[in-house]
Amino acid sequence: MQHRIVGDPFPVVICELSKGEKMITQRGGMSWRTAGIKMDTSSTGGLLKGLKRTLAGNDFFLNHYTALEDNQEIAFGLSFPGEIKTFDLSGGKDIVAQKKAFIACTSGVDIDIFFNKKLGAGFWGGEGFILQRLSGEGLAFIEIDGHTKEYDLAPGEKLIIDQGYLAAMEPTVSFSIEFVKGLKNIAFGGEGLVLGKLTGPGKVWLQTLPISGLARAMGTAAGSK
């Protein structure tokens, strides 16, 4: 399967399929396709898998698109201005992504829920608690809100973030929470009570314009009128 990403700031990934090749996406995830592609809707993995996907921000049912002949094209777009990131999961590589980051994948990729094992992150972690794990063999495409900033953390190296800015990370990276110190910082700093803490080793992909941050800004602007 060949693919190319075109367009800015609303890119699409266009996948070129040969006969028998398949792409998987969420309900309504397709932008356009040529006529020689068949669609089938399935729970993909059964009841438990479907329920776990809904907890991770995805749909219970997924759409499977199969090329009935060679030289077919299918495109998948974004729900928000940003970038499309491609991950090659061959060789046993996994990726952990934010909720609702998944756009599409080839048929060998498994989509599952990823629970943060740290108890404090569960109570306070917000968007960083329940994530999704993409694994298996093949290509996966995820949505980045805004632009991407990549960090390669050394063992023990830490990065402090607002949880909404986490787009994806390698599973070797640990996510936990850190309480903001100082009453003045909590009351007037605007960062809230807790921040996310990422600890290496592994790669981290951050996004510059999370929907949650935009929603807060719009709510503040609306309240000031």
Side-chain angles (χ1 to χ4, degrees):
M1 191 273 291
Q2 302 294 319
H3 73 277
R4 62 188 189 276
I5 298 172
V6 300
D8 184 31
F10 291 98
V12 295
V13 55
I14 302 174
C15 300
E16 302 173 9
L17 306 182
S18 299
K19 184 176 180 179
E21 289 187 321
K22 181 186 294 184
M23 295 298 299
I24 300 172
T25 188
Q26 299 200 79
R27 181 179 59 181
M30 183 208 71
S31 299
W32 64 81
R33 70 179 193 265
T34 52
I37 295 178
K38 178 183 71 171
M39 183 187 84
D40 291 299
T41 301
S42 168
S43 61
T44 312
L47 176 63
L48 181 59
K49 276 280 189 180
L51 291 175
K52 289 165 72 177
R53 282 196 303 272
T54 59
L55 288 175
N58 293 318
D59 291 331
F60 183 88
F61 291 99
L62 296 175
N63 291 338
H64 296 239
Y65 294 92
T66 306
L68 302 178
E69 52 191 83
D70 291 336
N71 302 316
Q72 299 302 304
E73 286 191 350
I74 184 168
F76 307 97
L78 299 178
S79 60
F80 191 75
E83 298 178 354
I84 296 174
K85 183 75 176 176
T86 306
F87 289 97
D88 184 353
L89 303 179
S90 59
K93 297 178 183 177
D94 293 5
I95 196 72
V96 177
Q98 65 163 330
K99 293 176 67 174
K100 300 184 178 180
F102 172 72
I103 298 176
C105 65
T106 55
S107 57
V109 174
D110 182 62
I111 309 162
D112 206 345
I113 194 170
F114 177 86
F115 279 111
N116 198 307
K117 297 179 181 179
K118 292 185 178 295
L119 183 63
F123 285 115
W124 303 99
E127 296 170 68
F129 174 47
I130 300 179
L131 302 166
Q132 55 184 309
R133 181 192 292 269
L134 304 175
S135 60
E137 293 286 334
L139 297 179
F141 304 98
I142 74 165
E143 178 171 337
I144 305 287
D145 299 334
H147 294 286
T148 309
K149 174 60 179 176
E150 180 179 326
Y151 288 91
D152 193 352
L153 301 180
E157 184 178 4
K158 295 176 175 57
L159 189 65
I160 308 301
I161 65 167
D162 179 304
Q163 295 95 302
Y165 284 80
L166 176 63
M169 64 184 185
E170 292 182 330
T172 54
V173 176
S174 172
F175 172 85
S176 59
I177 59 98
E178 180 172 282
F179 286 91
V180 175
K181 297 178 181 179
L183 290 177
K184 287 194 299 182
N185 293 337
I186 295 173
F188 305 112
E191 300 292 349
L193 182 62
V194 297
L195 294 170
K197 181 168 66 175
L198 303 173
T199 305
K203 291 185 178 179
V204 173
W205 292 267
L206 302 181
Q207 54 191 8
T208 62
L209 188 63
I211 295 178
S212 58
L214 181 62
R216 287 196 300 267
M218 293 177 66
T220 300
S224 65
K225 291 182 179 180

